[in-house]
Amino acid sequence: MLKIGTDFSGIGAPEQALKKLGIKYKSVFACDIDKHAKKSFLANYTTDNFYDDITKRDHSKTPYCDLYVAGFPCQAFSVAGKRKGFDDTRGTLFFDLLQYIKLQRPKYFILENVKGLLRHDKGNTLETILKSLEALKYDIHYKVLNTKDYGIPQNRERIFIVGFRDSHNFEWPKPQPLQPIENFLDVKVDKKYNLKTKQLNKIKEYNKRANNKSNQISIKQIIAYIKNDVEWIADIRTEQGLRIRKNRVSPCLTTSSVPLIKRRKIRKLTALECLRLQGFPDNFLSVVSEAQLYKQAGNSMTVNVMASIIKQVLKNGY
């Protein structure tokens, strides 16, 4: 049975991916400082240990796992780029996960971060991360993958770093057919999700002004007009208002915005629809407020992408 451990665990995308693959596993530990994420995780999965703060954990006493997964925050490296390798990461959250890998030496690890990590500090931050991992004698591979290339219509680019304790003939997963966005949306939803007349008027006002190049309103300004800082699947320059983009792909879900869509009326997506766009099944237990669910969906790794990577990682057995 595969032993898995996760840091910055969120709502358990790696565990959900293993379920999707039908792989028997045992969670030996999980960790998240967010109490709401912890509540959601423990309602849906069983783990031997749940740590609240990676920075206060004794990594020498943290259980060994075969597969280690961490979607670590993109925290700025205070001295990254001076090419001191492992020492450059001190003072960052990456250093903590690096310490775990150094002390427990999992057989495989998968790390995830935003695409912007490629450019951070002119690429020096990523170089520091890779050199630090290679210094631990791991075979390292990295690549940017997009959720829309793995069956789910969401434009979400993330960098993944995969490491092997032993040599491995690893190949990144091939793209999968895209499912239509209708598969992820409910036909009928509560009217509370519909935009109010005042909000619609603000959008119509923007549409008119946007046609006048000398009097344009910035995207940030129009977002500020709409409650909850929402975004939309739309061409905002059309007189008809909002419509699904031609590529029929949702914008990237975030922790602070909820996409809008026009299906008869203009409405925001429900939290369940957002979870679906991250690959979570409808039977995922919701035990926190809807506001927290939106945040958790936006903060999660995509289950389908994670499943595709794990399948390739474990291709030669575990």
Side-chain angles (χ1 to χ4, degrees):
M1 182 177 292
L2 181 75
K3 292 182 179 180
I4 182 174
T6 62
D7 277 318
F8 315 104
S9 304
I11 54 176
E15 290 81 0
Q16 197 67 237
L18 289 169
K19 285 186 177 183
K20 184 180 181 70
L21 292 170
I23 295 174
K24 291 184 178 181
Y25 73 92
K26 179 181 178 61
S27 171
V28 293
F29 74 89
C31 177
D32 204 295
I33 200 168
D34 188 307
K35 64 180 182 180
H36 302 291
K38 177 180 181 180
K39 188 174 182 180
S40 289
F41 186 96
L42 294 178
N44 286 277
Y45 317 100
T46 300
T47 185
D48 290 346
N49 303 275
F50 196 103
Y51 301 100
D52 294 328
D53 190 342
I54 187 176
T55 66
K56 297 177 180 179
R57 191 175 72 207
D58 185 343
H59 300 295
S60 66
K61 296 180 181 178
T62 305
Y64 162 84
C65 63
D66 302 307
L67 173 63
Y68 175 64
V69 185
F72 65 104
C74 188
Q75 186 187 40
F77 281 38
S78 59
V79 290
K82 295 185 178 180
R83 311 200 176 193
K84 294 181 180 179
F86 192 89
D87 289 335
D88 269 354
T89 67
R90 295 183 187 278
T92 72
L93 291 173
F94 175 75
F95 175 75
D96 293 284
L97 71 85
L98 195 64
Q99 280 285 86
Y100 174 78
I101 295 172
K102 178 183 179 182
L103 294 173
Q104 296 299 337
R105 298 197 59 77
K107 193 171 184 180
Y108 325 98
F109 64 74
I110 302 172
L111 309 181
E112 181 256 18
N113 211 302
V114 295
K115 181 184 177 182
L117 183 63
L118 287 169
R119 303 184 302 274
H120 187 269
D121 192 22
K122 299 180 180 180
N124 289 321
T125 299
L126 178 60
E127 182 182 358
T128 299
I129 289 173
L130 297 176
K131 285 184 178 295
S132 298
L133 294 168
E134 289 170 349
L136 300 183
K137 307 301 180 183
Y138 274 81
D139 181 20
I140 305 299
H141 307 257
Y142 73 94
K143 187 175 184 178
V144 172
L145 301 180
N146 196 322
T147 292
K148 69 179 183 180
D149 294 325
Y150 295 91
I152 296 180
Q154 182 196 168
N155 185 30
R156 186 184 190 88
E157 292 182 296
R158 292 293 185 268
I159 184 171
F160 291 89
I161 304 172
V162 177
F164 297 89
R165 190 178 62 198
D166 304 311
S167 60
H168 191 285
N169 187 23
F170 177 72
E171 293 183 1
W172 290 99
K174 295 180 180 179
Q176 301 168 10
L178 185 66
Q179 298 181 54
I181 196 167
E182 284 80 4
N183 289 4
F184 300 81
L185 304 177
D186 290 318
V187 176
K188 295 182 179 180
V189 300
D190 192 291
K191 63 181 180 181
K192 71 178 182 179
Y193 296 103
N194 295 335
L195 262 65
K196 305 296 187 292
T197 301
K198 183 178 180 180
Q199 295 169 323
L200 291 171
N201 287 338
K202 288 291 184 181
I203 294 174
K204 290 178 181 178
E205 178 184 336
Y206 169 77
N207 284 339
K208 291 180 180 179
R209 293 185 181 183
N211 286 327
N212 182 352
K213 293 184 179 180
S214 63
N215 188 26
Q216 294 224 0
I217 302 175
S218 71
I219 295 297
K220 289 184 178 180
Q221 285 176 300
I222 188 61
I223 287 176
Y225 287 151
I226 306 174
K227 189 178 180 181
N228 295 329
D229 190 23
V230 295
E231 296 180 342
W232 50 86
I233 308 172
D235 178 355
I236 57 176
R237 294 181 182 277
T238 63
E239 287 298 320
Q240 297 176 347
L242 309 182
R243 61 182 175 82
I244 298 176
R245 288 174 175 166
K246 290 181 180 179
N247 62 10
R248 301 175 69 76
V249 173
S250 166
C252 181
L253 301 181
T254 73
T255 59
S256 61
S257 65
V258 182
L260 295 184
I261 191 167
K262 184 174 183 181
R263 301 197 79 192
R264 297 192 182 95
K265 293 185 177 181
I266 299 172
R267 67 171 178 84
K268 64 180 182 179
L269 298 185
T270 68
L272 176 58
E273 289 171 328
C274 290
L275 285 170
R276 289 172 185 159
L277 285 168
Q278 287 287 50
F280 287 87
D282 285 6
N283 63 0
F284 182 84
L285 295 179
S286 302
V287 293
V288 296
S289 69
E290 189 170 50
Q292 286 297 326
L293 277 178
Y294 279 124
K295 179 181 177 181
Q296 290 173 2
N299 198 44
S300 178
M301 291 179 274
T302 304
V303 173
N304 287 36
V305 178
M306 185 55 55
S308 297
I309 296 173
I310 291 175
K311 185 177 180 180
Q312 292 299 105
V313 167
L314 303 180
K315 194 171 182 179
N316 295 338
Y318 55 87

